[in-house]
Amino acid sequence: MRRRACLFGLAALPLLAACSPKPGGKAMPPGSKVLALGDSITHGTGASPGEDWPSLLAARTGWQIENAGVPGDTTAGALQRLPDLLEQHRPALVIVELGGNDFLRRRPQAQVKEDLRRILQLIRAQGAQAVLVAVPELSLMALVASRPGDAPIYAELAGEEQVPLVAEVLSEVLGRPEWRADQIHPNAAGYAALADGLAQGLQSLGLLAAP
């Protein structure tokens, strides 16, 4: 198993890990409104309807999770649609999984980081909590070797903005061929592992009560 040291502290699963600059938040009860802001991985591309990680996480937590994953979306695109989503759904928590399409299009990571910063700041300005999910630094070599690793901008941004970070979960899933539908999307088993990893990460952050 690959494990990366986390600047803010580490809570490890058998295969998955979560980090947070400030663990110990208040657990959100069942029925809480949550927005899953992301791209095709949040949408559930590569699996059947209902096998996406927001649906699986909702079943596990009892939260009302709105799947706002749009295939092909970038951080800039998500930033444009976020105000309407926040106004419409008024979530207590927003889980942000974005950046993969930016990396595939070779956008400079500094630009991706600043888009993510604006997303996090907008979420907090609306009174919601934000959790950032680290995304692999996608490269052909890493994907062929099945050893993707988180892009460094996520840990940097989490520290700078003091936003909880769930790290290494998505990288671990995409590093397991049996958990992938293709090189960049999980399959049903991968989404189940991703939902489990996110749940354990949210527990370590104090946002989800232990079962």
Side-chain angles (χ1 to χ4, degrees), residues 164-185:
L165 172 70
V166 178
E168 294 292 350
V169 175
L170 184 53
S171 290
E172 193 71 53
V173 169
L174 293 180
R176 298 279 296 273
E178 68 271 25
W179 283 351
R180 293 197 312 254
D182 55 39
Q183 292 293 338
I184 59 174
H185 297 108

Side-chain angles (χ1 to χ4, degrees), residues 49-188:
E51 294 177 335
D52 55 282
W53 70 257
S55 294
L56 298 175
L57 187 62
R60 178 167 180 162
T61 61
W63 296 344
Q64 298 179 35
I65 302 182
E66 177 67 25
N67 188 332
V70 173
D73 206 10
T74 62
T75 52
L79 181 60
Q80 290 183 342
R81 59 191 179 93
L82 180 58
D84 287 343
L85 289 169
L86 292 173
E87 178 65 25
Q88 179 182 356
H89 300 291
R90 298 191 178 277
L93 173 69
V94 182
I95 303 173
V96 180
E97 176 276 310
L98 286 162
N101 291 308
D102 299 83
F103 300 148
L104 290 172
R105 297 176 188 185
R106 299 187 182 278
R107 282 193 72 207
Q109 290 201 23
Q111 294 180 11
V112 179
K113 181 179 177 181
E114 291 311 306
D115 284 344
L116 288 169
R117 189 190 308 277
R118 292 174 62 193
I119 286 171
L120 297 175
Q121 292 174 345
L122 181 57
I123 291 168
R124 292 185 298 183
Q126 296 299 312
Q129 297 186 79
V131 171
L132 186 61
V133 178
V135 172
E137 187 173 11
L138 296 175
S139 69
L140 180 60
M141 183 176 296
L143 290 171
V144 169
S146 295
R147 294 190 63 184
D150 291 352
I153 59 172
Y154 294 93
E156 295 168 3
L157 184 59
E160 292 164 7
E161 293 295 322
Q162 289 294 285
V163 171
L165 172 70
V166 178
E168 294 292 350
V169 175
L170 184 53
S171 290
E172 193 71 53
V173 169
L174 293 180
R176 298 279 296 273
E178 68 271 25
W179 283 351
R180 293 197 312 254
D182 55 39
Q183 292 293 338
I184 59 174
H185 297 108
N187 56 22

